[in-house]
Amino acid sequence: MGITVIINPQSGSGLGRRLAHALRRFEPVLLDPARAAEQLEGRVAPGDTFVVGGGDGTVSLVVETLFRMGLGEAVTAVVYPLGTGNDLSRGLALRLPPDPAGFIETLAPDQAERREVAVWKMGTRYFVNYVGLGIDAQILATADRWRRYFPARPFMRKLSLGLAGFRHPFYRIRQEMRVHTEAGVLELKGQGGVILSNVGYIVGGSRIGALEPAAPRLSVTLVRSSLDLIRLFLSRFGPPKPVLPYTLAREVLLEGGPLPAEIDGEVALFEAGRVTCAGTLHILAPPGPGTHLP
């Protein structure tokens, strides 16, 4: 079993660089999003374990790259959450172990806790957490224009997202747009947007629906306005505040567009068509309580 360590050095206000230093014996890959496929080619093989340190966007990029390479279901992941939201880690109860290097150096798959999460495909893109279409993607795009001034400061990114929300309180989809599920058709024209979620934590932490991450089902949530996004965000800090209506679907068909889109917390291009389950990602989690890097 080979081990490949993949780190986003910009994550977590320096945590990424410190983790890369702690795991230097494994000659970590310092991820360059534009060269991800080139960096992983020949480094990961069937049966290997890969360690990915970074936020949801980093994890999504690595997983997408491995699925494109045909390795997505043939390898095992260890996720070290170092990002702003860490929605996947929240949804799967993943934590950074007290001794990250020690956990990898003494990795015993039979002693680690196992998690599984479905991986989805929208057009040519893959995602693990969620896809947001409409208002939340517009807010993210606005915040990302400011992000270049503080790329490694999670608090400032959260603040920028909040401020960007005030710039688009009345955003509405103006073009014809439909979302088809087994339960029926959602008409999005005149609405704020829609969120297709694979984990219970989305857009700042909502816990809506009876979602099992390993099950091939998406939560489809209609977002009518920015007030719904506020409810989703406040669910992180207290009791669940579901936004209705929502439904669970095994397959989704998107018609219409174009409109703002985000995939796993990163600005993306919208692609109409079917959203289907592409496979399962296998994850090893450190047993017991976790912590943050000092």
PDB file of all heavy atoms in Angstrom, residues 139-154:
ATOM      1  N   ILE A 139     -23.245  35.156  -4.564  1.00  0.00           N
ATOM      2  CA  ILE A 139     -22.582  35.704  -3.374  1.00  0.00           C
ATOM      3  C   ILE A 139     -21.133  35.232  -3.313  1.00  0.00           C
ATOM      4  O   ILE A 139     -20.212  36.021  -3.040  1.00  0.00           O
ATOM      5  CB  ILE A 139     -23.352  35.287  -2.107  1.00  0.00           C
ATOM      6  CG1 ILE A 139     -24.690  36.028  -2.049  1.00  0.00           C
ATOM      7  CG2 ILE A 139     -22.532  35.560  -0.851  1.00  0.00           C
ATOM      8  CD1 ILE A 139     -25.611  35.541  -0.950  1.00  0.00           C
ATOM      9  N   LEU A 140     -20.909  33.951  -3.580  1.00  0.00           N
ATOM     10  CA  LEU A 140     -19.544  33.424  -3.557  1.00  0.00           C
ATOM     11  C   LEU A 140     -18.665  34.097  -4.604  1.00  0.00           C
ATOM     12  O   LEU A 140     -17.504  34.429  -4.338  1.00  0.00           O
ATOM     13  CB  LEU A 140     -19.568  31.916  -3.788  1.00  0.00           C
ATOM     14  CG  LEU A 140     -18.198  31.239  -3.827  1.00  0.00           C
ATOM     15  CD1 LEU A 140     -17.506  31.333  -2.475  1.00  0.00           C
ATOM     16  CD2 LEU A 140     -18.330  29.776  -4.253  1.00  0.00           C
ATOM     17  N   ALA A 141     -19.205  34.304  -5.805  1.00  0.00           N
ATOM     18  CA  ALA A 141     -18.435  34.945  -6.866  1.00  0.00           C
ATOM     19  C   ALA A 141     -18.023  36.357  -6.460  1.00  0.00           C
ATOM     20  O   ALA A 141     -16.894  36.790  -6.724  1.00  0.00           O
ATOM     21  CB  ALA A 141     -19.247  34.967  -8.162  1.00  0.00           C
ATOM     22  N   THR A 142     -18.933  37.080  -5.804  1.00  0.00           N
ATOM     23  CA  THR A 142     -18.598  38.424  -5.334  1.00  0.00           C
ATOM     24  C   THR A 142     -17.518  38.370  -4.264  1.00  0.00           C
ATOM     25  O   THR A 142     -16.550  39.136  -4.296  1.00  0.00           O
ATOM     26  CB  THR A 142     -19.857  39.118  -4.774  1.00  0.00           C
ATOM     27  OG1 THR A 142     -20.832  39.231  -5.809  1.00  0.00           O
ATOM     28  CG2 THR A 142     -19.526  40.497  -4.233  1.00  0.00           C
ATOM     29  N   ALA A 143     -17.665  37.454  -3.303  1.00  0.00           N
ATOM     30  CA  ALA A 143     -16.679  37.326  -2.230  1.00  0.00           C
ATOM     31  C   ALA A 143     -15.320  36.902  -2.764  1.00  0.00           C
ATOM     32  O   ALA A 143     -14.282  37.342  -2.255  1.00  0.00           O
ATOM     33  CB  ALA A 143     -17.178  36.323  -1.188  1.00  0.00           C
ATOM     34  N   ASP A 144     -15.310  36.064  -3.788  1.00  0.00           N
ATOM     35  CA  ASP A 144     -14.031  35.586  -4.318  1.00  0.00           C
ATOM     36  C   ASP A 144     -13.230  36.689  -4.992  1.00  0.00           C
ATOM     37  O   ASP A 144     -12.003  36.585  -5.113  1.00  0.00           O
ATOM     38  CB  ASP A 144     -14.274  34.431  -5.300  1.00  0.00           C
ATOM     39  CG  ASP A 144     -14.204  33.083  -4.617  1.00  0.00           C
ATOM     40  OD1 ASP A 144     -14.202  33.053  -3.371  1.00  0.00           O
ATOM     41  OD2 ASP A 144     -14.149  32.062  -5.316  1.00  0.00           O
ATOM     42  N   ARG A 145     -13.917  37.740  -5.441  1.00  0.00           N
ATOM     43  CA  ARG A 145     -13.177  38.861  -6.027  1.00  0.00           C
ATOM     44  C   ARG A 145     -12.359  39.583  -4.965  1.00  0.00           C
ATOM     45  O   ARG A 145     -11.356  40.226  -5.259  1.00  0.00           O
ATOM     46  CB  ARG A 145     -14.145  39.816  -6.720  1.00  0.00           C
ATOM     47  CG  ARG A 145     -14.722  39.263  -8.011  1.00  0.00           C
ATOM     48  CD  ARG A 145     -15.308  40.357  -8.882  1.00  0.00           C
ATOM     49  NE  ARG A 145     -16.539  40.905  -8.315  1.00  0.00           N
ATOM     50  CZ  ARG A 145     -17.759  40.431  -8.569  1.00  0.00           C
ATOM     51  NH1 ARG A 145     -17.909  39.375  -9.371  1.00  0.00           N
ATOM     52  NH2 ARG A 145     -18.827  40.988  -8.037  1.00  0.00           N
ATOM     53  N   TRP A 146     -12.808  39.480  -3.707  1.00  0.00           N
ATOM     54  CA  TRP A 146     -12.054  40.078  -2.608  1.00  0.00           C
ATOM     55  C   TRP A 146     -11.054  39.089  -2.003  1.00  0.00           C
ATOM     56  O   TRP A 146     -10.133  39.495  -1.307  1.00  0.00           O
ATOM     57  CB  TRP A 146     -13.022  40.532  -1.507  1.00  0.00           C
ATOM     58  CG  TRP A 146     -14.068  41.485  -1.979  1.00  0.00           C
ATOM     59  CD1 TRP A 146     -13.961  42.391  -2.994  1.00  0.00           C
ATOM     60  CD2 TRP A 146     -15.398  41.630  -1.458  1.00  0.00           C
ATOM     61  NE1 TRP A 146     -15.126  43.089  -3.139  1.00  0.00           N
ATOM     62  CE2 TRP A 146     -16.036  42.658  -2.216  1.00  0.00           C
ATOM     63  CE3 TRP A 146     -16.109  41.024  -0.437  1.00  0.00           C
ATOM     64  CZ2 TRP A 146     -17.335  43.065  -1.970  1.00  0.00           C
ATOM     65  CZ3 TRP A 146     -17.408  41.425  -0.182  1.00  0.00           C
ATOM     66  CH2 TRP A 146     -18.015  42.434  -0.947  1.00  0.00           C
ATOM     67  N   ARG A 147     -11.244  37.803  -2.293  1.00  0.00           N
ATOM     68  CA  ARG A 147     -10.471  36.757  -1.633  1.00  0.00           C
ATOM     69  C   ARG A 147      -8.968  36.864  -1.919  1.00  0.00           C
ATOM     70  O   ARG A 147      -8.147  36.469  -1.097  1.00  0.00           O
ATOM     71  CB  ARG A 147     -10.990  35.391  -2.099  1.00  0.00           C
ATOM     72  CG  ARG A 147     -10.376  34.191  -1.414  1.00  0.00           C
ATOM     73  CD  ARG A 147     -10.973  32.922  -1.988  1.00  0.00           C
ATOM     74  NE  ARG A 147     -10.420  31.738  -1.392  1.00  0.00           N
ATOM     75  CZ  ARG A 147     -10.746  30.500  -1.746  1.00  0.00           C
ATOM     76  NH1 ARG A 147     -11.623  30.326  -2.720  1.00  0.00           N
ATOM     77  NH2 ARG A 147     -10.199  29.466  -1.165  1.00  0.00           N
ATOM     78  N   ARG A 148      -8.626  37.408  -3.089  1.00  0.00           N
ATOM     79  CA  ARG A 148      -7.205  37.463  -3.452  1.00  0.00           C
ATOM     80  C   ARG A 148      -6.402  38.348  -2.494  1.00  0.00           C
ATOM     81  O   ARG A 148      -5.174  38.253  -2.431  1.00  0.00           O
ATOM     82  CB  ARG A 148      -7.043  37.970  -4.878  1.00  0.00           C
ATOM     83  CG  ARG A 148      -7.539  39.387  -5.119  1.00  0.00           C
ATOM     84  CD  ARG A 148      -7.380  39.769  -6.587  1.00  0.00           C
ATOM     85  NE  ARG A 148      -7.833  41.124  -6.883  1.00  0.00           N
ATOM     86  CZ  ARG A 148      -9.063  41.442  -7.180  1.00  0.00           C
ATOM     87  NH1 ARG A 148      -9.996  40.479  -7.228  1.00  0.00           N
ATOM     88  NH2 ARG A 148      -9.410  42.693  -7.435  1.00  0.00           N
ATOM     89  N   TYR A 149      -7.084  39.213  -1.741  1.00  0.00           N
ATOM     90  CA  TYR A 149      -6.371  40.080  -0.815  1.00  0.00           C
ATOM     91  C   TYR A 149      -6.049  39.373   0.507  1.00  0.00           C
ATOM     92  O   TYR A 149      -5.210  39.850   1.271  1.00  0.00           O
ATOM     93  CB  TYR A 149      -7.203  41.327  -0.519  1.00  0.00           C
ATOM     94  CG  TYR A 149      -7.490  42.160  -1.748  1.00  0.00           C
ATOM     95  CD1 TYR A 149      -8.781  42.278  -2.243  1.00  0.00           C
ATOM     96  CD2 TYR A 149      -6.460  42.807  -2.419  1.00  0.00           C
ATOM     97  CE1 TYR A 149      -9.045  43.032  -3.382  1.00  0.00           C
ATOM     98  CE2 TYR A 149      -6.709  43.562  -3.570  1.00  0.00           C
ATOM     99  CZ  TYR A 149      -8.011  43.672  -4.036  1.00  0.00           C
ATOM    100  OH  TYR A 149      -8.267  44.405  -5.169  1.00  0.00           O
ATOM    101  N   PHE A 150      -6.735  38.259   0.799  1.00  0.00           N
ATOM    102  CA  PHE A 150      -6.456  37.518   2.044  1.00  0.00           C
ATOM    103  C   PHE A 150      -6.678  36.027   1.788  1.00  0.00           C
ATOM    104  O   PHE A 150      -7.571  35.409   2.367  1.00  0.00           O
ATOM    105  CB  PHE A 150      -7.351  37.998   3.192  1.00  0.00           C
ATOM    106  CG  PHE A 150      -8.752  38.359   2.775  1.00  0.00           C
ATOM    107  CD1 PHE A 150      -9.740  37.393   2.620  1.00  0.00           C
ATOM    108  CD2 PHE A 150      -9.072  39.675   2.503  1.00  0.00           C
ATOM    109  CE1 PHE A 150     -11.009  37.725   2.229  1.00  0.00           C
ATOM    110  CE2 PHE A 150     -10.363  40.016   2.108  1.00  0.00           C
ATOM    111  CZ  PHE A 150     -11.342  39.036   1.979  1.00  0.00           C
ATOM    112  N   PRO A 151      -5.880  35.412   0.904  1.00  0.00           N
ATOM    113  CA  PRO A 151      -6.119  34.021   0.491  1.00  0.00           C
ATOM    114  C   PRO A 151      -6.013  33.002   1.610  1.00  0.00           C
ATOM    115  O   PRO A 151      -6.587  31.923   1.505  1.00  0.00           O
ATOM    116  CB  PRO A 151      -5.038  33.793  -0.576  1.00  0.00           C
ATOM    117  CG  PRO A 151      -3.970  34.775  -0.241  1.00  0.00           C
ATOM    118  CD  PRO A 151      -4.679  35.980   0.286  1.00  0.00           C
ATOM    119  N   ALA A 152      -5.271  33.291   2.674  1.00  0.00           N
ATOM    120  CA  ALA A 152      -5.044  32.283   3.718  1.00  0.00           C
ATOM    121  C   ALA A 152      -5.648  32.700   5.054  1.00  0.00           C
ATOM    122  O   ALA A 152      -5.196  32.262   6.109  1.00  0.00           O
ATOM    123  CB  ALA A 152      -3.541  32.028   3.877  1.00  0.00           C
ATOM    124  N   ARG A 153      -6.690  33.520   5.032  1.00  0.00           N
ATOM    125  CA  ARG A 153      -7.318  33.977   6.269  1.00  0.00           C
ATOM    126  C   ARG A 153      -8.786  33.552   6.297  1.00  0.00           C
ATOM    127  O   ARG A 153      -9.653  34.238   5.761  1.00  0.00           O
ATOM    128  CB  ARG A 153      -7.205  35.499   6.413  1.00  0.00           C
ATOM    129  CG  ARG A 153      -5.764  35.973   6.528  1.00  0.00           C
ATOM    130  CD  ARG A 153      -5.696  37.476   6.692  1.00  0.00           C
ATOM    131  NE  ARG A 153      -4.335  37.941   6.800  1.00  0.00           N
ATOM    132  CZ  ARG A 153      -3.656  38.010   7.946  1.00  0.00           C
ATOM    133  NH1 ARG A 153      -4.244  37.633   9.071  1.00  0.00           N
ATOM    134  NH2 ARG A 153      -2.416  38.444   7.963  1.00  0.00           N
ATOM    135  N   PRO A 154      -9.089  32.394   6.928  1.00  0.00           N
ATOM    136  CA  PRO A 154     -10.465  31.884   6.929  1.00  0.00           C
ATOM    137  C   PRO A 154     -11.477  32.876   7.503  1.00  0.00           C
ATOM    138  O   PRO A 154     -12.582  33.006   6.980  1.00  0.00           O
ATOM    139  CB  PRO A 154     -10.360  30.622   7.793  1.00  0.00           C
ATOM    140  CG  PRO A 154      -8.935  30.192   7.670  1.00  0.00           C
ATOM    141  CD  PRO A 154      -8.150  31.462   7.583  1.00  0.00           C
TER     142      PRO A 154
END
